[in-house]
């Protein structure tokens, strides 16, 4: 068969076939893949295990701030944790999962949060990639910190898509993970 005589270029046909396979749930994060197809084979997601959520939360004291979580101090950066891979021809992806068995939700305190133009950071439960938040340079604050909303479940996935021109250099540092009971 001569590919040069097909009515559509083979690359387009192959892309459509691969896109259809991805959108049929071939991977655990099919929702994210359907938005932007990956060009590499799936790899294991690095996981950081946190202390499990409390089974018996403390009693609430009248007049005191509502307690719903334990702040677990951590130092997690894209330079020292997770896995970098090629996302497409122009972007790299950094990915890591944070897990605390039994947690109702997790949220993050970034003590350093500076996303460059063109970068996208997604925080979501791995089994429900469409439920979560997407952060960009528009979410940068003048004080350089950021507190994420709660993400339901005991595992939180972080996906950072970063233009390759930044050479995997990004100012992200997680200081605390709030583990809700």
């Amino acid at each position: 068969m001569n590919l040069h005589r097909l009515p559509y270029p083979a690359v387009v046909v192959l892309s459509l076939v691969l896109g259809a396979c991805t959108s049929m749930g071939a991977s655990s994060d099919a929702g994210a893949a359907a938005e932007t197809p990956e060009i590499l084979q799936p790899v294991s997601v690095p996981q950081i295990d946190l202390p499990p959520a409390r089974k018996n939360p403390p009693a609430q004291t009248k007049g005191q701030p509502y307690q719903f979580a334990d702040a677990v101090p951590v130092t997690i950066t894209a330079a020292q944790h997770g896995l970098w891979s090629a996302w497409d021809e122009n972007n790299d992806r950094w990915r890591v999962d944070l897990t605390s068995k039994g947690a109702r939700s997790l949220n993050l305190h970034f003590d350093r949060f500076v996303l460059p133009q063109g970068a996208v950071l997604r925080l979501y439960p791995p089994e429900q990639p469409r439920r979560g938040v997407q952060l960009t340079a528009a979410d940068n604050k003048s004080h350089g910190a950021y507190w994420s909303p709660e993400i339901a479940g005991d595992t939180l996935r972080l996906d950072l898509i970063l233009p390759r021109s930044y050479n995997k250099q990004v100012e992200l540092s997680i200081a605390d993970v709030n583990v809700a009971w």
Side-chain angles (χ1 to χ4, degrees), residues 30-117:
E35 293 172 17
T36 307
E38 295 185 48
I39 62 168
L40 296 180
Q41 294 297 319
V43 294
S44 300
V45 178
Q47 182 169 304
I48 296 173
D49 291 317
L50 303 166
R54 289 190 201 192
K55 291 188 188 277
N56 300 312
Q60 299 294 323
T61 306
K62 189 173 183 169
Q64 295 296 314
Y66 178 71
Q67 296 179 356
F68 69 97
D70 289 322
V72 177
V74 296
T75 303
I76 298 172
T77 66
Q80 297 175 340
H81 302 90
L83 179 70
W84 283 98
S85 61
W87 177 250
D88 61 23
E89 62 275 354
N90 299 315
N91 298 287
D92 289 319
R93 177 182 67 188
W94 174 70
R95 177 177 268 186
V96 69
D97 283 355
L98 305 176
T99 300
S100 177
K101 187 173 180 175
R104 283 187 325 113
S105 66
L106 300 171
N107 75 295
L108 308 176
H109 163 221
F110 291 87
D111 60 344
R112 192 71 187 137
F113 184 90
V114 181
L115 289 177
Q117 289 297 323

Side-chain angles (χ1 to χ4, degrees), residues 87-159:
W87 177 250
D88 61 23
E89 62 275 354
N90 299 315
N91 298 287
D92 289 319
R93 177 182 67 188
W94 174 70
R95 177 177 268 186
V96 69
D97 283 355
L98 305 176
T99 300
S100 177
K101 187 173 180 175
R104 283 187 325 113
S105 66
L106 300 171
N107 75 295
L108 308 176
H109 163 221
F110 291 87
D111 60 344
R112 192 71 187 137
F113 184 90
V114 181
L115 289 177
Q117 289 297 323
V120 175
L121 177 63
R122 294 185 62 237
L123 310 173
Y124 60 95
E127 67 282 353
Q128 297 176 316
R130 295 196 185 278
R131 296 190 67 208
V133 297
Q134 182 168 299
L135 307 169
T136 65
D139 296 295
N140 293 340
K141 308 293 183 208
S142 60
H143 49 71
Y146 184 83
W147 287 262
S148 77
E150 291 179 65
I151 305 296
D154 64 3
T155 300
L156 170 61
R157 178 164 290 166
L158 288 84
D159 269 341

Side-chain angles (χ1 to χ4, degrees), residues 5-52:
R5 295 180 193 238
L6 291 174
Y8 300 103
V11 173
V12 172
V13 173
L14 181 58
S15 296
L16 291 172
V17 169
L18 289 175
C21 290
T22 302
S23 65
M24 289 189 295
S27 73
S28 63
D29 63 342
E35 293 172 17
T36 307
E38 295 185 48
I39 62 168
L40 296 180
Q41 294 297 319
V43 294
S44 300
V45 178
Q47 182 169 304
I48 296 173
D49 291 317
L50 303 166

